[in-house]
C-alpha cells in the first residue's frame, strides 16, 4: 500500500507570493490533516478535512486555506507569503473515525517551504 | 485545552543500552489516546507506539514500551537495546476520543542521539 504522498518536496518562494501544496492520502483514508513544523513553534495543527469538509481548524490566519477533493486528495494554499511561513508542512491521513479508534495518523515526508 | 510537555530537549544513549524519554500532558478529558512518533532526518513522522487511556496495561512494541501513569498524566517511552537507527526526534502526541476529530497535539520533541 502506498504511503502518504506530498508534492512538491521543496519549494522556494518570495514574500507576497502564493503557494499550493498537495497531499495524496493512503488509499481508503478519508481524513487529511495538515501541520506546520518550525524550530520555534514546533508542530502546530493547521486544519483537518473529512469527506471534502473542513471539520477542524487551528489558530492560523485566513491566508492559510485548504480543500479536499472527492478522491480524498487535499491541497493547502498560503497566500501573501511572509518570511515566517518558512516551515516544513506535513500532511497526515487517517481513516477518519473522528477520534473513535486508536488508528493513528500516517504522515507524508512533508514539503519544505522557504520564503526569501 | 490540552497540552503536551516534553521536558528533555536532548538525550543520549550508548548503543545496546536503555533510555527513557519523558512526556507529561494536561487534559480534563477522561478518555483519549497517546502516541509516540519518531522523526528521523528523512523528515517522515513514523508511529512508534500508541496507548489508549482506558487500558491500564502499558503498550509494548518490540524494543519500545511505555510507562503510562494516568493519574499523574505521564506517558514515558522506554527504548531497550538502543540501536544507531533509533537516533531521531521523538514526539509525544495526544488525541481526544469521540470529539469528531483526529487532530493531534504534539509536544516539543526530544532529540535522541545514539553513540556506538
Amino acid at each position: 500500500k502506498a504511503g502518504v504522498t506530498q508534492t512538491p518536496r521543496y519549494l522556494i518562494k518570495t514574500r507576497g507570493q502564493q503557494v499550493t501544496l498537495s497531499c495524496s492520502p493512503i488509499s481508503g483514508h478519508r481524513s487529511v490533516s495538515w501541520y506546520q513544523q518550525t524550530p520555534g513553534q514546533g508542530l502546530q495543527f493547521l486544519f483537518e478535512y473529512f469527506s471534502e469538509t473542513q471539520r477542524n481548524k487551528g489558530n492560523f490566519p485566513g491566508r492559510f486555506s485548504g480543500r479536499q477533493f472527492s478522491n480524498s486528495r487535499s491541497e493547502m494554499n498560503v497566500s501573501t507569503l511572509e518570511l515566517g511561513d518558512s516551515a516544513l508542512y506535513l500532511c497526515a491521513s487517517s481513516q477518519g473515525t473522528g477520534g473513535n479508534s486508536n488508528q493513528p495518523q500516517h504522515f507524508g515526508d512533508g514539503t519544505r517551504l522557504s520564503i526569501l | 485545552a490540552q497540552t503536551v510537555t516534553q521536558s528533555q530537549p536532548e538525550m543520549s544513549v550508548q548503543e545496546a543500552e536503555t533510555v527513557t524519554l519523558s512526556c507529561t500532558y494536561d487534559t480534563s478529558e477522561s478518555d483519549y489516546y497517546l502516541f509516540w512518533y519518531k522523526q528521523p532526518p528523512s523528515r517522515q513522522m513514523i508511529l512508534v507506539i500508541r496507548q489508549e487511556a482506558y487500558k491500564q496495561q502499558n503498550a509494548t512494541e518490540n524494543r519500545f514500551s511505555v510507562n503510562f501513569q494516568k493519574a499523574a498524566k505521564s506517558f514515558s517511552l522506554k527504548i531497550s537495546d538502543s540501536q544507531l537507527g533509533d537516533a531521531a526526534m521523538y514526539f509525544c502526541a495526544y488525541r481526544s476520543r469521540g470529539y469528531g476529530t483526529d487532530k493531534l497535539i504534539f509536544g516539543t520533541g526530544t532529540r535522541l542521539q545514539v553513540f556506538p
Side-chain angles (χ1 to χ4, degrees):
Chain A
K1 212 178 205 182
V4 178
T5 303
Q6 289 189 246
T7 56
R9 192 163 167 83
Y10 298 93
L11 207 47
I12 299 175
K13 292 285 186 180
T14 57
R15 279 181 296 174
Q17 285 188 310
Q18 164 182 295
V19 68
T20 299
L21 312 181
S22 178
C23 172
S24 293
I26 291 172
S27 177
H29 283 190
R30 298 170 65 193
S31 171
V32 172
S33 297
W34 290 88
Y35 296 86
Q36 181 195 65
Q37 185 176 19
T38 60
Q41 299 297 317
L43 281 150
Q44 293 188 288
F45 171 76
L46 279 156
F47 27 64
E48 175 188 11
Y49 286 88
F50 177 77
S51 291
E52 302 179 64
T53 301
Q54 187 183 87
R55 70 176 179 184
N56 205 347
K57 187 178 188 305
N59 189 25
F60 278 82
R63 299 185 297 107
F64 291 82
S65 63
R67 58 177 174 169
Q68 186 180 34
F69 302 95
S70 58
N71 61 356
S72 294
R73 190 178 72 84
S74 176
E75 289 181 347
M76 69 163 279
N77 183 278
V78 188
S79 62
T80 319
L81 286 165
E82 301 177 358
L83 293 177
D85 297 333
S86 293
L88 178 66
Y89 290 88
L90 291 166
C91 166
S93 77
S94 61
Q95 293 175 344
T97 59
N100 284 316
S101 81
N102 67 355
Q103 292 305 305
Q105 290 191 329
H106 298 267
F107 286 80
D109 289 344
T111 294
R112 173 79 64 190
L113 175 63
S114 299
I115 311 302
L116 303 180
Chain B
Q2 297 79 32
T3 58
V4 177
T5 301
Q6 293 179 251
S7 59
Q8 306 156 315
E10 288 193 8
M11 292 284 284
S12 61
V13 64
Q14 207 80 25
E15 204 175 2
E17 297 295 308
T18 296
V19 64
T20 298
L21 308 184
S22 300
C23 172
T24 58
Y25 58 94
D26 190 28
T27 183
S28 59
E29 298 169 349
S30 59
D31 207 1
Y32 46 86
Y33 301 101
L34 295 165
F35 303 86
W36 277 98
Y37 280 90
K38 164 185 175 181
Q39 187 179 41
S42 63
R43 302 179 343 195
Q44 187 180 34
M45 298 280 278
I46 302 165
L47 177 70
V48 175
I49 200 166
R50 76 191 89 173
Q51 175 80 42
E52 294 92 335
Y54 60 86
K55 287 188 179 179
Q56 292 187 333
Q57 186 173 6
N58 290 323
T60 299
E61 288 285 344
N62 300 314
R63 299 182 295 107
F64 300 88
S65 61
V66 299
N67 183 3
F68 173 51
Q69 302 288 328
K70 190 173 183 179
K73 297 180 182 174
S74 170
F75 182 60
S76 60
L77 174 69
K78 185 171 84 171
I79 306 174
S80 304
D81 186 26
S82 296
Q83 301 175 0
L84 294 177
D86 294 334
M89 281 291 289
Y90 285 81
F91 292 94
C92 177
Y94 174 102
R95 187 171 82 200
S96 298
R97 186 180 184 197
Y99 282 82
T101 178
D102 288 339
K103 169 188 172 182
L104 290 168
I105 299 169
F106 287 93
T108 51
T110 296
R111 181 174 303 280
L112 178 66
Q113 294 181 303
V114 182
F115 295 102

